[in-house]
Amino acid sequence: MATCSTTSSSLMLTYAASIVHPQDTTPSLLSFKSKPLFSSSSSSLYHPLVLRPRERESCKWVEGFLRREGKPERYHFVVAALAAEAEVAEAVAEEDGEAEGAVAAGAATAVVRKPKKGKAALPLKRDRTRSKRFLEIQKLRENKQEYDVKTAISLMKQMASTKFVETAEAHFRLNIDPKYNDQQLRATVNLPKGTGQTVKVAVLTQGEKFDEAKNAGADLVGGDDLIEQIKKGFMEFDKLIASPDMMPKVASLGKILGPRGLMPNPKAGTVTPNIPQAIAEFKQGKVEFRADKTGIVHLPFGKVDFPEEDLLINLLAAVKSVEANKPSGAKGVYWKSAHICSSMGPSIRLNTREMLDYKPPSNA
């Protein structure tokens, strides 16, 4: 028995070996393209299939005549067709057209973007989080230009526009890798004009040096009792100086003082037998500095309300100290870059060659 099958936008014909009552069809649903047919069993050429309905009312037959080399042969075919298929195909085509139109409209909408306004329109991503004050004052200097020392200090003073007195900071990028012992940098520098800050000094000592520390101007002096207070969380001091005989006891404070940078160290000048001299130096403006893990040194060299000459003298003293304490393992160009800035202001790049060769006036 013949089978019937339907596919979208096409009619499937199935050969029938015997007479079968097919579904009702109409001549308007039958449409075929005029293409020559080839037989799979022979090379004979078959002409296009011609279908016509029988002139009987009781049953609607479809007879097909296939002419082979001029000899007509009669076969019966079953045409499986659904009248609603054409309508469904048209509906699907319309829906596809509407969907494509909606996608095209959405794509056009996505391409057209609103222009950015305010900070979002700034080209540099880091500037989008800056304050209006910062964005205004950074226009006073060129971003990648190198300035001489005097011009840079003058610009830094102009950029300090906050309501409090900002600290003048220096940042030196050096060609060192602190993960190697011979490339670590840690030292101190005596700023001739001071730091402009009040330093609270605590001293750990015992015996006769206890009275010496008090007379030298130490803010806190103690021994075992001060160690116990520090273990309980007492940190109301900026510098901690210890005599050498107290270091075995101070070693137990390493986990507390180390992360804060307050652990006494001979390189920093905070472990010394001459306690009065150390107190006087830190009170007058002695600053400890060290290179971080990226090889950059950060240190303050005064306040922005200092005269330009005083800031210049302090900066040159800091540069000379960093140059004098160059690690033995440093190779190649030691100075990569140098910048100065105020606490809340943009950085100003220095000309390192001019900075190292600068000689202050004799009257300074």
Side-chain angles (χ1 to χ4, degrees):
M1 183 176 180
T3 59
C4 300
S5 61
T6 60
T7 58
S8 61
S9 70
S10 65
L11 299 176
M12 301 298 295
L13 301 181
T14 307
Y15 172 75
S18 61
I19 298 175
V20 181
H21 296 284
Q23 298 178 355
D24 293 344
T25 58
T26 59
S28 61
L29 295 176
L30 304 176
S31 61
F32 300 91
K33 294 182 180 180
S34 178
K35 294 184 179 180
L37 303 175
F38 294 90
S39 172
S40 59
S41 61
S42 63
S43 60
S44 301
L45 177 63
Y46 290 89
H47 293 278
L49 181 65
V50 180
L51 300 179
R52 71 180 182 183
R54 274 188 179 181
E55 297 179 357
R56 291 198 306 179
E57 296 180 357
S58 60
C59 181
K60 293 182 181 180
W61 293 91
V62 177
E63 293 182 355
F65 293 92
L66 189 62
R67 288 188 292 178
R68 180 180 179 184
E69 295 181 354
K71 297 179 181 180
E73 297 180 7
R74 189 170 185 173
Y75 296 92
H76 293 283
F77 292 88
V78 178
V79 181
L82 298 176
E85 183 179 0
E87 297 179 1
V88 173
E90 292 178 0
V92 171
E94 291 178 359
E95 291 179 359
D96 292 342
E98 293 176 359
E100 291 177 0
V103 172
T109 305
V111 171
V112 178
R113 296 180 180 178
K114 294 181 180 180
K116 296 181 180 180
K117 298 180 180 179
K119 292 183 180 180
L122 295 175
L124 295 179
K125 190 175 181 179
R126 64 188 180 192
D127 289 341
R128 298 172 190 171
T129 58
R130 303 288 191 183
S131 64
K132 292 182 179 179
R133 181 197 65 85
F134 189 94
L135 294 176
E136 288 295 326
I137 61 176
Q138 75 172 355
K139 296 178 182 178
L140 298 175
R141 60 99 168 101
E142 295 294 332
N143 190 22
K144 296 183 179 180
Q145 182 177 345
E146 294 183 349
Y147 293 88
D148 60 272
V149 179
K150 292 192 68 174
T151 305
I153 291 177
S154 178
L155 280 174
M156 182 188 65
K157 290 176 67 68
Q158 294 178 25
M159 293 179 181
S161 59
T162 56
K163 296 180 180 180
F164 62 92
V165 180
E166 300 180 43
T167 300
E169 302 175 359
H171 306 274
F172 305 133
R173 186 183 178 201
L174 308 176
N175 188 22
I176 58 176
D177 190 354
K179 71 179 181 180
Y180 300 105
N181 293 331
D182 59 348
Q183 296 187 37
Q184 294 179 355
L185 175 62
R186 183 173 183 178
T188 58
V189 55
N190 291 316
L191 299 178
K193 302 299 181 179
T195 60
Q197 298 176 347
T198 302
V199 181
K200 194 172 184 178
V201 179
V203 178
L204 284 172
T205 187
Q206 57 186 358
E208 298 178 355
K209 295 180 180 179
F210 197 90
D211 294 334
E212 292 181 2
K214 281 188 175 182
N215 297 332
D219 298 287
L220 293 172
V221 181
D224 296 336
D225 55 342
L226 184 56
I227 292 176
E228 292 298 326
Q229 291 181 18
I230 294 174
K231 288 182 178 180
K232 293 179 181 180
F234 179 78
M235 291 291 169
E236 297 181 5
F237 51 86
D238 300 315
K239 291 292 178 182
L240 181 62
I241 301 174
S243 57
D245 57 347
M246 290 293 294
M247 286 309 296
K249 298 179 180 179
V250 177
S252 60
L253 302 176
K255 293 183 179 180
I256 302 174
L257 300 177
R260 295 174 172 81
L262 297 174
M263 187 68 180
N265 190 295
K267 292 183 178 180
T270 51
V271 178
T272 176
N274 193 350
I275 292 179
Q277 181 181 353
I279 295 173
E281 289 176 350
F282 283 108
K283 288 283 187 179
Q284 292 174 3
K286 188 175 184 178
V287 177
E288 178 187 358
F289 64 87
R290 63 188 303 175
D292 61 12
K293 61 181 181 180
T294 60
I296 301 177
V297 174
H298 314 272
L299 60 89
F301 62 97
K303 294 287 186 177
V304 292
D305 59 349
F306 282 17
E308 292 186 12
E309 293 77 12
D310 293 352
L311 290 173
L312 179 60
I313 293 172
N314 282 350
L315 178 61
L316 294 177
V319 171
K320 290 180 180 179
S321 178
V322 173
E323 181 71 19
N325 291 279
K326 179 179 178 180
S328 59
K331 299 178 182 179
V333 179
Y334 182 51
W335 293 83
K336 283 189 174 182
S337 64
H339 295 77
I340 63 172
C341 66
S342 58
S343 300
M344 304 294 290
S347 62
I348 303 169
R349 190 183 183 96
L350 300 178
N351 187 328
T352 55
R353 184 178 297 276
E354 188 272 341
M355 177 188 69
L356 295 173
D357 297 338
Y358 185 84
K359 293 181 180 180
S362 58
N363 57 359

